Amino acid sequence: MAVLGRISHTTTYRYAKPVTFGTHRAMFLPRRGASARLVSWSATSSVPAKMHWTTDARSNTVTVMEFSEPASELTIVFEARGVYYGVKGIEAFPLESRADEVPLQYTPDEWTDLAGYLRPHAEDPDATLAAWTKSFVAGDQDRTTDVLHRMLHIFRDTFTYRPRDAEGTQSPGETLRTRSGTCRDYAWLMIEALRRLGFASRFVTGYLYDAALDGGAVGVTGSGATHAWLQVFLPGAGWLDYDPTNQISAGFDLIPVAVARHPAQAIPLEGSWFGEANDYLGMTVNVAVQKIGNAPDLSAR
């Protein structure tokens, strides 16, 4: 089955008096590929702007905006429609034998291509992250699928999802110490743990479809805003999604926009403004991901 969906992403910045704006860069357009095809998309702003589209070194689509007038309010609206075929979980793919157990055996070419996603990025000064990571393979617990699911279950059973106003992503050590954080914090901790076990892992930002908003029975954590999770490269299966916030690893719920080595490379919207420090009054973000209906499944033909 293929799903036809619509995404609307609105961000509004407010200021006490008119300010001027520097260049803004946004990542909002879903990644196209075997599981997704875009039908239409648009970007508009309340302040006149020149916009152009480009790609970064990781093939993420970036919208670059140059504003020409000062204003006391800036609203940027992104909209997209697309057909999404869903992502099958690891059980649907026969892993190559070299990926059955930890550590995985990547080929020399894979090591070269995946190097940036294999090396840990975050510091671990007191080795608490390393100790926590080892617990997932202690004894004879080295089967790849079991390690991944065990890690997802730990987030579900022992961590508390806690939104916060502070910008950025917590260090893995802080998330582990407090056993709490946002979707970005969870994803970053799981990535750094998996890298220490030899898994190539990358950070993903995008959107989360919540069936409860369309009358479904079960809600998910993190809808109504941009979401974050991770992908793991497993020989035989390729890049597979894992969402520690909602324990999702398959289906139509995760819609990737950007992939990165670390969270700072995948900020949904960033830019600058010029004025007095106390001019800034705050921002609001509204994200809606809706299922419009079912689409013809051309992949089955």
Side-chain angles (χ1 to χ4, degrees):
M1 181 183 71
V3 170
L4 179 62
R6 176 173 56 215
I7 298 169
S8 176
H9 182 165
T10 303
T11 304
T12 299
Y13 298 96
R14 295 183 176 83
Y15 305 88
K17 60 178 182 289
V19 299
T20 56
F21 303 99
T23 301
H24 282 54
R25 297 170 62 88
M27 294 180 177
F28 93 96
L29 198 61
R31 290 175 68 89
R32 289 154 283 188
S35 62
R37 299 177 185 174
L38 292 179
V39 177
S40 63
W41 60 92
S42 66
T44 59
S45 67
S46 60
V47 178
K50 291 183 178 179
M51 299 188 186
H52 71 269
W53 307 77
T54 186
T55 56
D56 64 13
R58 295 165 299 281
S59 298
N60 301 312
T61 300
V62 180
T63 308
V64 182
M65 295 164 281
E66 303 281 354
F67 299 97
S68 58
E69 298 178 5
S72 57
E73 183 174 297
L74 171 61
T75 297
I76 302 171
V77 180
F78 299 110
E79 294 186 339
R81 291 191 182 204
V83 178
Y84 190 54
Y85 295 93
V87 176
K88 296 179 180 179
I90 190 172
E91 293 78 6
F93 295 94
L95 295 184
E96 295 184 20
S97 58
R98 58 194 175 95
D100 284 340
E101 296 181 350
V102 180
L104 281 65
Q105 302 302 310
Y106 292 118
T107 67
D109 273 347
E110 287 171 344
W111 273 102
T112 299
D113 295 336
L114 299 171
Y117 302 113
L118 280 162
R119 289 193 298 268
H121 183 84
E123 298 288 342
D124 184 24
D126 57 3
T128 56
L129 176 55
W132 184 72
T133 298
K134 290 178 182 177
S135 69
F136 294 100
V137 292
D140 194 28
Q141 302 182 105
D142 58 359
R143 185 171 175 80
T144 297
T145 53
D146 293 341
V147 171
L148 290 167
H149 286 125
R150 194 178 300 124
M151 199 170 288
L152 287 181
H153 294 159
I154 284 292
F155 281 95
R156 178 195 64 192
D157 297 337
T158 67
F159 283 71
T160 301
Y161 184 84
R162 184 167 292 127
R164 65 178 190 279
D165 294 330
E167 296 181 1
T169 304
Q170 286 181 168
S171 69
E174 179 66 12
T175 302
L176 185 58
R177 184 187 67 80
T178 62
R179 296 278 168 157
S180 66
T182 67
C183 58
R184 295 177 72 90
D185 303 327
Y186 282 10
W188 190 220
L189 170 57
M190 186 168 174
I191 286 170
E192 286 293 291
L194 288 174
R195 287 175 178 173
R196 284 165 171 78
L197 292 176
F199 289 88
S201 306
R202 63 188 186 185
F203 186 85
V204 186
T205 184
Y207 300 110
L208 176 66
Y209 171 67
D210 187 351
L213 300 179
D214 283 337
V218 180
V220 293
T221 301
S223 64
T226 53
H227 192 52
W229 61 98
L230 63 136
Q231 291 178 340
V232 182
F233 186 82
L234 302 176
W239 288 107
L240 294 184
D241 294 301
Y242 286 90
D243 177 10
T245 303
N246 295 289
Q247 292 75 56
I248 297 172
S249 58
F252 296 91
D253 298 328
L254 301 173
I255 305 172
V257 168
V259 299
R261 288 185 294 107
H262 56 83
Q265 293 180 318
I267 299 175
L269 178 60
E270 61 180 340
S272 58
W273 60 275
F274 304 93
E276 300 296 330
N278 58 2
D279 287 341
Y280 181 67
L281 300 180
M283 65 175 290
T284 57
V285 178
N286 183 27
V287 173
V289 181
Q290 298 173 303
K291 175 183 174 182
I292 302 174
N294 297 330
D297 190 354
L298 301 178
S299 64
R301 297 180 180 179

